[in-house]
Amino acid sequence: MDFETSMENLTSVCDGHCDCSPDPALLANFKRAIHALGGKWKLEILFALMNGAIRFGALRRSISGITQHMLTTQLRELELDGLVSRNAFAEKPLRVEYELTDAAYGLLPAFKEILSWSRLYGEARLPSHET
């Protein structure tokens, strides 16, 4: 099954007589991406960092409802996955900024597509999860 072709056409190439299980390598890549981006706050954090480096406090204020502990945890995971870099400046008081890595900036087209999908799908159909 040609993944890109069938996804682009949104058609099924299976006639019921084939093994339609995904290619194991393709599935492994997909799982790796989902793991790196999965989590209640990761996509919001990445989106908030799309305009450049930001200090921890400003980042926390920009994401309504996130706790300090959860933001720290999610940032550490994003850093381990190579999507966010942490820059500590030797100042008093210590200044720490977070920014996207080049790998995370590669998500910009996907974010644009998600925003387009959201606008097309309509605000009335998508629940707001604001707290």
Side-chain angles (χ1 to χ4, degrees):
M1 178 165 140
D2 184 354
F3 177 76
E4 282 81 15
T5 301
S6 62
M7 286 302 292
E8 288 171 4
N9 296 330
L10 296 176
T11 60
S12 175
V13 295
C14 181
D15 61 4
H17 296 79
C18 64
D19 177 15
C20 292
S21 58
D23 172 20
L26 185 63
L27 184 59
N29 287 337
F30 186 75
K31 284 181 176 181
R32 199 169 29 258
I34 294 301
H35 175 75
L37 300 174
K40 183 174 180 180
W41 301 102
K42 286 183 181 178
L43 291 175
E44 289 184 56
I45 292 167
L46 292 171
F47 189 79
L49 293 172
M50 282 288 169
N51 290 322
I54 189 169
R55 293 179 72 166
F56 181 88
L59 182 58
R60 182 171 176 218
R61 286 188 298 276
S62 73
I63 303 172
S64 177
I66 194 167
T67 64
Q68 180 173 335
H69 174 76
M70 184 55 69
L71 179 56
T72 300
T73 300
Q74 298 284 272
L75 284 168
R76 285 181 183 156
E77 289 178 15
L78 287 165
E79 190 175 4
L80 285 172
D81 288 328
L83 297 173
V84 170
S85 64
R86 179 184 185 271
N87 302 309
F89 298 90
E91 300 174 358
K92 289 191 179 183
L94 179 66
R95 179 170 57 105
V96 177
E97 291 182 346
Y98 293 90
E99 65 182 328
L100 298 180
T101 62
D102 289 342
Y105 276 112
L107 291 167
L108 187 57
F111 278 18
K112 288 180 179 178
E113 287 298 318
I114 290 169
L115 286 171
S116 294
W117 175 84
S118 177
R119 288 184 192 113
L120 182 65
Y121 191 67
E123 291 179 19
R125 294 186 189 171
L126 293 174
S128 174
H129 296 288
E130 296 294 319
T131 55

